[in-house]
Amino acid sequence: MKIRNHIATSLLAAAALLAACSTADESVAFGTDTNSISIDAVGGTKKIKVSANENWVAISNVPWITVSPANGYKSTECSLNIDSAITNTVRNGVVRIVKTGNSAEYQEIRIEQKGFDYAITLDEPTVNIENYASLDKRYFDVKVRTNVDFDVKVPDDKTSWVKFDRYDVALDHGLRPREVTIRFNWGINSGDERSAEVSFVPTSESNVTSEMLARNDKLTIEQSAAEPITPNSREGDSVALLSIARTLEVWASSWESSGEKMDNWAGVTLWEEGMEGYVDSLKGRVKAARFYMFSIKEGIPFEVKYLTAAEELEFYSNVNTFQLSLSTGPYICELSQLKRLTIGAYGLTELDENFTNLRNLEYLDLSSNNFEKIPDIINPTNFPKLHVLRMANNQRRLVYDLSNNIATNFGGLYQHTKYDSNMGSFGEFPSWLFKWEPGEVTTSEGEQTVTGLDTLILSVNYLQGPIPDFKDDESIPVYTEAPDSLKDAAGECILVKNRIKRVMPQLRMLALNLNRMTGALPDWVLYHPALDWWDPFTLLFNQEGKDEQGNLAGFSNEPANMDYYYQAYPKKKLANMTDEDDAENGDDAGTTR
């Protein structure tokens, strides 16, 4: 009995509760908890509460506002999803919540969205960089948010060490900001701390001025100072050598890891007493250094400028040189005391404009680079002491037949003698080199020394056409006298008798082999006083391939042997025969040419 009474009581309570809920729903007033919303240009989501006791539907009058859920039954929380703006003006929209019954009752929510201000902003307006890193790590990326097309402005005095890659501002949706990533590349710092302030300026095509920008961030780049190197000291020299080797990424440098004193470093020569030019202040400093087998994609490292006692430097064998187009850079140009310099297989295509500071050079080797032309600055005025110029094998790639070639920029000094179809002839041979006459230079002690280019090596290039004969060049005289060693039994010399042009009489070595040269050998070559020293059948007459006109390379009057030469200079032949006899007898008399 008690159980039946308990069940009855529970049923009555539940019925009462249902009746109460039904009464509550019937009493809910239709509406929303807000009738207006204001939101920023970036857009976002706003929550609203719909109160109702029956079905309803949400309608937006603009496409940039959506409602989720878009319909419902009874009271529900909804999300208004508002897109970002696309203009710089305010825009308005309305969301209407409508009952779906017969009453047609509705509630409106008005949305006001601000427009975007013109702005160029940075997440990170300051960047700190080290003074040094390898080339492939010397960059940083900057993210710029903008709704304006802009130009990057680096101060003129900072462009030597701050550069940037090409970028594209894609404003593909009105004034809605877009993020642009710009890669900045930086250079090694060889001095004190430095900084640069980079601006982002609206382009003229954007029709926006800087004054119209609500925000216009600038980028500040701070670079730390270089590692200190004590100038004009043995310690400074050793630090400079290690730094250069590090920057070059020398493959097999053991200087730092060996633990040896600089006196024992391979490829390094130090000044010692008894050496020519030695003074006490040079003792123990670097006289010569060699850097071999390395990997770099820029000019000679800045630390080279601290090797102020060096007379000879050699940089040879860079990686993938055929792909590179480098300049020496300015720092090597500060070593005006240099006498011998080799920058070979480095990837050079040009010399720095200050290279002429190296007026004391006696030996210059630029072989195995990618030069299309011999730099004009290499002349006797700029280098009055130069004896040896080597620019062999500047072929970036091998082109055997120039007449069947579509490649460009293939080096080999090609630009000098390339065929001009308008003129119907080959270009001009770099003949100023053959006019490099001996000159006198006054030393610091007031002595006069005779100088002049005596070794010229231009082998394995793409020079075409004939060797200049200078017959019509009045600036080059003919021989009017000759030493006795060049005269025949009658006391005559073919140089004077045939009025042969006096071209570089001091030349002791000329190499033009394995070019694409043709035409006749001029008399000044065939009867040059030093021709027999040149090994001409190997290093001069021996050409290869075809020129741009399809002509097989080679000279039309190449001699079969040297008999004609020794007939003209019988004393030379007699001298050679004497040497051969002496050699057979074990005499070390040597050649007396």
Side-chain angles (χ1 to χ4, degrees), residues 104-153:
E105 186 177 355
Y106 64 87
Q107 183 75 28
E108 288 186 343
I109 304 170
R110 297 187 174 278
I111 296 95
E112 179 183 86
Q113 184 179 34
K114 297 177 182 178
F116 278 109
D117 290 324
Y118 291 116
I120 303 173
T121 63
L122 306 177
D123 291 338
E124 298 291 339
T126 301
V127 174
N128 294 290
I129 56 178
E130 297 298 322
N131 71 293
Y132 166 82
S134 58
L135 182 63
D136 59 342
K137 296 180 180 178
R138 288 207 302 270
Y139 71 88
F140 58 86
D141 292 331
V142 173
K143 295 185 183 298
V144 184
R145 284 187 61 80
T146 182
N147 54 7
V148 180
D149 195 7
F150 61 83
D151 293 323
V152 179
K153 298 294 185 182

Side-chain angles (χ1 to χ4, degrees), residues 542-560:
N542 180 26
Q543 302 294 304
E544 73 169 358
K546 294 182 178 181
D547 65 19
E548 287 181 291
Q549 293 301 292
N551 301 311
L552 189 64
F555 298 108
S556 59
N557 59 341
E558 177 184 337

Side-chain angles (χ1 to χ4, degrees), residues 103-369:
S103 67
E105 186 177 355
Y106 64 87
Q107 183 75 28
E108 288 186 343
I109 304 170
R110 297 187 174 278
I111 296 95
E112 179 183 86
Q113 184 179 34
K114 297 177 182 178
F116 278 109
D117 290 324
Y118 291 116
I120 303 173
T121 63
L122 306 177
D123 291 338
E124 298 291 339
T126 301
V127 174
N128 294 290
I129 56 178
E130 297 298 322
N131 71 293
Y132 166 82
S134 58
L135 182 63
D136 59 342
K137 296 180 180 178
R138 288 207 302 270
Y139 71 88
F140 58 86
D141 292 331
V142 173
K143 295 185 183 298
V144 184
R145 284 187 61 80
T146 182
N147 54 7
V148 180
D149 195 7
F150 61 83
D151 293 323
V152 179
K153 298 294 185 182
V154 178
D156 290 342
D157 60 340
K158 312 295 183 183
T159 54
S160 62
W161 64 278
V162 177
K163 304 181 186 299
F164 55 90
D165 292 347
R166 185 175 179 178
Y167 61 93
D168 182 34
V169 181
L171 300 175
D172 52 2
H173 203 359
L175 292 187
R176 184 176 295 170
R178 289 290 184 255
E179 187 172 83
V180 181
T181 299
I182 304 176
R183 173 155 294 185
F184 284 84
N185 303 287
W186 51 272
I188 296 172
N189 186 7
S190 60
D192 298 330
E193 292 181 358
R194 60 185 180 182
S195 64
E197 187 176 74
V198 179
S199 302
F200 304 87
V201 181
T203 63
S204 57
E205 293 81 4
S206 68
N207 296 317
V208 177
T209 64
S210 296
E211 291 73 20
M212 296 169 63
L213 298 176
R215 180 175 167 182
N216 187 6
D217 290 348
K218 294 184 177 181
L219 174 67
T220 300
I221 305 171
E222 302 281 354
Q223 186 172 36
S224 59
E227 297 177 13
I229 297 178
T230 305
N232 302 315
S233 69
R234 174 185 168 94
E235 178 185 2
D237 285 359
S238 64
V239 175
L241 289 177
L242 292 173
S243 299
I244 294 168
R246 177 191 65 180
T247 302
L248 290 174
E249 299 182 15
V250 174
W251 295 4
S253 175
S254 58
W255 296 343
E256 194 166 9
S257 60
S258 66
E260 294 278 354
K261 294 172 60 178
M262 187 168 59
D263 307 61
N264 300 322
W265 287 2
V268 177
T269 302
L270 305 182
W271 281 99
E272 298 177 358
E273 292 185 31
M275 290 181 172
E276 183 179 354
Y278 173 84
V279 293
D280 289 342
S281 61
L282 295 176
K283 185 175 183 179
R285 295 196 61 198
V286 172
K287 183 178 189 293
R290 181 174 186 258
F291 301 89
Y292 179 70
M293 294 181 66
F294 46 80
S295 177
I296 192 170
K297 295 181 180 178
E298 55 192 335
I300 307 298
F302 78 87
E303 292 93 346
V304 74
K305 69 181 183 180
Y306 292 102
L307 300 177
T308 54
E311 285 191 345
E312 179 176 359
L313 292 175
E314 181 177 349
F315 302 86
Y316 193 84
S317 191
N318 196 3
V319 172
N320 294 329
T321 55
F322 69 95
Q323 297 179 349
L324 304 176
S325 299
L326 304 179
S327 167
T328 56
Y331 304 109
I332 190 73
C333 305
E334 297 186 31
L335 302 183
S336 58
Q337 83 286 348
L338 281 178
K339 292 184 177 180
R340 296 175 61 90
L341 176 61
T342 296
I343 310 177
Y346 197 97
L348 295 180
T349 55
E350 63 178 328
L351 305 178
D352 187 83
E353 61 182 356
N354 295 312
F355 200 79
T356 54
N357 292 340
L358 306 182
R359 290 180 58 83
N360 288 306
L361 281 181
E362 299 174 4
Y363 177 99
L364 177 60
D365 188 349
L366 299 174
S367 297
S368 301
N369 284 292

